[in-house]
Amino acid sequence: METKELYREILNEHNINPLHKKPLEGATHSHDGINPSCGDNITLNLKISDGKISDASFTGSGCAISQASCDMMIDLVLGKSEAEAKKLCDTFTKMITGEVTQEELESLDEAAALQDIAKMPARVKCAELGWNTMKKILDKADTNGENTGSGVNNSHC
């Protein structure tokens, strides 16, 4: 099977049958992400306890790329520390801008299927929507110095 075809199958699977597109009871953090250029919107919900992402989900609507990317991102960050999740966000951004090493690319697992999005500038924001939304949650948790298990952080873009 050709690599591009495999990547297309991965993208389609995460778009058509997302594992993490559902409400999340007991989320400690929630953030709305909007891509004004195309109308994609998500609400990302994280449950962070003891500095680790113990559960996550998203709701919303958008194109196949934004929805699949968010689902793949959640697959990657579940069970990871906040620092590990931030590093994955940075690695994803490096992949989109063409600055990623092969080792870093491998750390993205199925999300590496979105590597060619860099060649479609109009779709980059779609792919980055979930990642940027998660980064905002994690950055806000850091700057507030809050105990991440202490209530829902309902900030909006």
Side-chain angles (χ1 to χ4, degrees):
M1 178 182 295
E2 192 176 309
T3 304
K4 284 186 180 185
E5 188 177 321
L6 176 62
Y7 286 161
R8 196 172 11 253
E9 281 188 24
I10 291 169
L11 184 75
N12 284 337
E13 182 60 30
H14 280 277
N15 177 50
I16 295 167
N17 300 307
L19 293 174
H20 307 290
K21 188 172 184 177
K22 59 189 174 197
L24 179 62
E25 291 291 322
T28 57
H29 294 75
S30 227
H31 193 84
D32 294 333
I34 300 165
N35 180 354
S37 63
C38 68
D40 292 352
N41 67 83
I42 63 162
T43 299
L44 181 64
N45 303 294
L46 300 180
K47 193 180 287 186
I48 302 174
S49 53
D50 298 324
K52 290 204 182 284
I53 299 171
S54 59
D55 204 357
S57 77
F58 72 103
T59 57
S61 62
C63 70
I65 292 170
S66 71
Q67 302 295 288
S69 182
C70 197
D71 198 58
M72 287 186 262
M73 175 195 74
I74 291 172
D75 273 350
L76 269 177
V77 301
L78 284 174
K80 301 274 193 298
S81 70
E82 292 176 69
E84 290 169 316
K86 277 185 170 185
K87 184 172 184 191
L88 287 167
C89 283
D90 292 340
T91 301
F92 188 83
T93 300
K94 285 171 75 175
M95 177 187 75
I96 294 295
T97 58
E99 301 168 10
V100 71
T101 66
Q102 186 60 38
E103 182 180 335
E104 289 171 322
L105 187 62
E106 289 170 9
S107 75
L108 291 174
D109 197 33
E110 287 185 334
L114 296 168
Q115 184 175 20
D116 285 341
I117 294 298
K119 297 173 187 165
M120 298 178 271
R123 305 312 298 258
V124 166
K125 287 183 180 180
C126 302
E128 291 180 322
L129 181 61
W131 297 86
N132 289 339
T133 304
M134 181 173 68
K135 191 163 182 353
K136 286 179 182 173
I137 289 173
L138 298 174
D139 285 348
K140 188 158 178 68
D142 281 351
T143 58
N144 286 347
E146 65 187 29
N147 173 348
T148 55
S150 63
V152 175
N153 173 4
N154 281 317
S155 52
H156 299 276
C157 294

